[in-house]
Amino acid sequence: MTPSTPKWLRGRTLIIGVPWLWLGLFFLLPFLFILKISLSEAALAQPPYLDLIREVSDGLMTIKLNFGNYLFLLEDPLYLQALWGSVKVATISTLLCLLLGYPMAYAIAKSPNHWRLPLLMLVILPFWTSFLIRVYAWIGILKNNGLLNQWLMSIGLIDTPLEIMHTPIAVYIGVVYSYLPFMVLPLYATLIRLDDTLLEAASDLGCKPWKQFMKITWPLSMPGVLAGAMLVFIPVMGEFVIPDLLGGPETLMIGKLMWTEFFSNKDWPLASALAAVLLCVLIIPFVLLRHYERRTEEVL
Amino acid sequence: MWRKMPLLMTALMFGYAFLYGPIASLIVYSFNENRLVTVWSGFSTKWYAELLQNDQILGAAWLSVKIASVNASLAVILGTLAALALVRYKRFKGRQVMETMVTAPLVMPEVIIGLSLLLLFVAMERVLGWPEGRGQLTITIAHVTFSMAYVAVVVQSRLAHMDQSLEEAALDLGAKPRKVFFAITLPLITPALVAGWLLAFTLSMDDLVVASFVSGPGATTLPMVVYSSVRLGVSPQINALATIIVVTVSIAVAVAGVLMYRKEKRGL
């Protein structure tokens, strides 16, 4: 577009300005509000917090920053436990997604040309149906008198029903199930671009298939692995619906706690402080992902 | 295939079984006569009949469809503009921030998006008096904010792979930039726009967490109704609803797939 760019000038301002304005107003600005509210005091009012800038007396305005919410998060072990619980669930489910998703993506990438799109569509299709309903389906399967236990008992593998519902295992199953497509897609995208001649050369030189995989395929698919890992890890950190529906009291996650603080305890400042902490924790992998993406974009 | 890599194919089949097993069980048990969802006692369609008389679910479904359509249309416009800005203009002030803002909603946990937007709406209402209360409007704004990111990604990749020589030729022949955009660029990226619209529509139909934060007492979307009834226990009506959703989506995807396949064949 280089030679004609100046002609687009009027359009240019519009094209850049409109989405910028929207995202700035409804995406960037709200984060500043989280910070602001997290520093204010809770109150029995509507909305349930006090302003940072208040008129104290004789028209004197003061800014009252309150770090109490953050200190409270540190004092009560519940919150650190929830943070740890989220990190644990997110890490383990990311690894499980990788373990299950990698062979799937690899098999699809290696299948004949006309098979690939339908096979890939089969991975995406569940994502288009309702997330909530797919999680709900697992309740009927994992319950004590659910389908899984009925089946295991009918083939005589167990005598008494297994307790899966309301345990961390149920949460892992639900999370891996819901986020698997997010792992398979980026993996497929990198694996399909893999140059087969490299593998042929390695095999001509006497390299065993397993070693070929470790030395060539795996390192070259790293961008996909990282992108997939982030797409699973970050949203799962804030996951609320799955632990609420499938998990029990032991599965403490920060998203669930935030929801409770906000809706049940009506403590908006504390919920905001929790959100701010979660944001800070998530910025690290997010920045790493962006950095990595930019680097691979440059390479391609 | 099977003979060449049996282990891989087993993994793939296991993956599909894992993805589709639960959905299949929902469909089968939606035709179960018994109120207890996991005890089979004969074929019946009575749960569908009950569902069609459930005004709460039908009303919520209609509201969700309305919000999702408006959302998808706005998200396509804004997302396309964002994609154009990022692909066509390599250098502008705030590009870095915009790039981050376009990617961030894809991974940002929904609780954070919901909470932050609610805080914004509450503050705006106090200072500006707008938006008055929360409901359809605030849910739509929130949905547009995160779904335009998905549209932007889809359109971005289409634009990046598009042959720009057609546009340049048109410009050389004296067409005005506006005309070039509507006569050439837009038709070329239409498949991405359609895909983006459908994606934004389903994202909005599916969203529970963000909508719960930014909705008011008057506006209850379908996922919110489903969620409250699911928390009370498994209900056969929800199985029927799930089956309807799955069947609708599958038909839509199949039709879109066939259309795209035909178009591609004609194009070649």
Side-chain angles (χ1 to χ4, degrees):
Chain A
M1 212 71 306
T2 21
S4 52
T5 304
K7 283 190 205 162
W8 287 63
L9 208 59
R10 247 186 316 158
R12 184 189 146 113
T13 323
L14 202 74
I15 289 170
I16 298 171
V18 173
W20 221 114
L21 207 69
W22 183 285
L23 285 169
L25 185 59
F26 295 119
F27 193 74
L28 207 56
L29 192 61
F31 289 115
L32 299 177
F33 272 96
I34 287 192
L35 280 179
K36 184 190 155 224
I37 310 291
S38 74
L39 290 171
S40 62
E41 274 171 68
L44 279 173
Q46 196 55 255
Y49 56 84
L50 296 175
D51 261 336
L52 286 184
I53 304 169
R54 259 171 288 158
E55 199 169 328
V56 183
S57 61
D58 307 328
L60 189 70
M61 306 287 269
T62 53
I63 296 181
K64 226 183 145 195
L65 292 183
N66 171 24
F67 291 94
N69 298 312
Y70 290 95
L71 291 177
F72 186 69
L73 292 184
L74 285 175
E75 270 165 29
D76 194 335
L78 180 76
Y79 300 101
L80 286 178
Q81 272 169 25
L83 187 63
W84 171 238
S86 292
V87 173
K88 201 173 94 182
V89 170
T91 311
I92 295 177
S93 354
T94 306
L95 289 175
L96 288 173
C97 276
L98 188 62
L99 206 65
L100 186 59
Y102 201 102
M104 287 181 79
Y106 194 83
I108 298 174
K110 287 285 162 234
S111 52
N113 232 329
H114 57 278
W115 272 90
R116 280 182 210 146
L117 194 64
L119 285 176
L120 206 59
M121 278 317 294
L122 279 178
V123 176
I124 306 172
L125 194 61
F127 168 81
W128 290 75
T129 66
S130 170
F131 161 78
L132 191 56
I133 279 171
R134 280 181 294 134
V135 175
Y136 152 81
W138 282 101
I139 301 179
I141 296 172
L142 298 176
K143 288 197 305 186
N144 279 1
N145 57 353
L147 295 173
L148 183 67
N149 274 319
Q150 280 180 21
W151 179 66
L152 287 175
M153 288 199 327
S154 74
I155 59 169
L157 215 60
I158 52 168
D159 302 322
T160 45
L162 297 173
E163 292 264 355
I164 307 175
M165 252 316 261
H166 304 305
T167 68
I169 298 175
V171 176
Y172 288 124
I173 293 177
V175 171
V176 172
Y177 181 67
S178 309
Y179 288 90
L180 188 62
F182 292 98
M183 182 61 92
V184 175
L185 288 181
L187 280 175
Y188 170 81
T190 48
L191 285 171
I192 196 72
R193 283 200 298 257
L194 212 74
D195 191 353
D196 276 339
T197 51
L198 287 174
L199 293 175
E200 277 163 32
S203 128
D204 287 348
L205 293 169
C207 187
K208 291 267 180 323
W210 177 245
K211 212 172 163 195
Q212 281 177 31
F213 176 78
M214 291 311 286
K215 291 256 177 206
I216 301 170
T217 314
W218 176 256
L220 282 178
S221 61
M222 226 35 199
V225 173
L226 284 178
M230 291 305 140
L231 285 177
V232 175
F233 184 86
I234 300 179
V236 173
M237 278 292 288
E239 186 52 61
F240 152 74
V241 178
I242 299 171
D244 190 56
L245 289 181
L246 301 178
E250 327 141 62
T251 34
L252 208 53
M253 285 179 76
I254 200 162
K256 199 175 152 185
L257 210 57
M258 233 166 91
W259 183 279
T260 322
E261 289 299 346
F262 192 85
F263 284 111
S264 311
N265 303 345
K266 298 252 188 298
D267 194 338
W268 288 22
L270 193 64
S272 305
L274 266 174
V277 170
L278 182 56
L279 258 176
C280 290
V281 174
L282 291 182
I283 277 177
I284 306 160
F286 182 72
V287 169
L288 284 178
L289 174 70
R290 296 259 346 129
H291 177 76
Y292 201 88
E293 266 180 356
R294 208 161 307 134
R295 256 184 44 202
T296 40
E297 260 168 38
E298 274 161 23
V299 172
L300 289 174
Chain B
M1 282 292 286
W2 277 98
R3 242 171 300 153
K4 249 170 46 197
M5 13 183 223
L7 259 177
L8 266 182
M9 292 316 279
T10 315
L12 188 62
M13 289 307 133
F14 175 77
Y16 286 134
F18 179 62
L19 284 176
Y20 286 93
I23 297 176
S25 79
L26 277 185
I27 296 177
V28 169
Y29 279 89
S30 75
F31 294 107
N32 185 7
E33 216 242 303
N34 204 308
R35 173 162 285 281
L36 291 169
V37 175
T38 44
V39 182
W40 183 264
S41 62
F43 182 87
S44 153
T45 50
K46 67 175 179 192
W47 304 116
Y48 288 88
E50 263 188 36
L51 181 73
L52 291 178
Q53 275 155 17
N54 189 330
D55 286 335
Q56 198 198 5
I57 287 189
L58 291 183
W62 176 234
L63 179 72
S64 279
V65 169
K66 271 197 293 188
I67 292 177
S69 328
V70 176
N71 159 65
S73 311
L74 280 173
V76 163
I77 296 171
L78 286 164
T80 307
L81 287 176
L84 277 169
L86 288 175
V87 174
R88 290 294 159 84
Y89 306 120
K90 287 294 166 216
R91 250 176 264 273
F92 60 84
K93 257 190 218 152
R95 186 195 153 94
Q96 198 79 50
V97 185
M98 179 143 140
E99 237 179 288
T100 310
M101 286 195 298
V102 167
T103 337
L106 302 179
V107 285
M108 195 59 73
E110 290 165 312
V111 262
I112 294 188
I113 298 182
L115 180 71
S116 66
L117 274 166
L118 174 63
L119 297 177
L120 174 82
F121 290 142
V122 170
M124 276 171 74
E125 193 185 359
R126 281 212 298 171
V127 178
L128 305 173
W130 183 92
E132 238 176 291
R134 281 168 296 282
Q136 218 170 314
L137 176 70
T138 48
I139 298 176
T140 311
I141 292 177
H143 282 185
V144 170
T145 306
F146 71 77
S147 52
M148 72 178 271
Y150 287 82
V151 177
V153 169
V154 174
V155 177
Q156 230 177 321
S157 78
R158 178 87 191 182
L159 276 172
H161 293 114
M162 203 181 100
D163 186 3
Q164 282 195 18
S165 53
L166 280 173
E167 291 179 350
E168 278 158 23
L171 283 169
D172 287 346
L173 292 171
K176 293 261 176 335
R178 187 185 299 262
K179 171 128 198 195
V180 174
F181 179 76
F182 284 106
I184 293 173
T185 319
L186 210 54
L188 280 175
I189 60 171
T190 301
L193 299 185
V194 174
W197 196 93
L198 288 172
L199 192 57
F201 185 86
T202 33
L203 282 168
S204 170
M205 284 297 288
D206 204 19
D207 167 66
L208 163 74
V209 178
V210 177
S212 301
F213 272 103
V214 299
S215 82
T220 313
T221 60
L222 187 59
M224 286 156 81
V225 175
V226 171
Y227 182 63
S228 54
S229 85
V230 164
R231 283 188 88 180
L232 295 177
V234 182
S235 124
Q237 272 190 42
I238 299 295
N239 280 1
L241 178 70
T243 306
I244 295 175
I245 294 178
V246 170
V247 170
T248 317
V249 170
S250 311
I251 292 174
V253 170
V255 168
V258 169
L259 285 180
M260 257 155 73
Y261 179 73
R262 279 212 194 134
K263 205 174 169 194
E264 235 164 65
K265 256 189 147 180
R266 234 184 297 141
L268 281 175

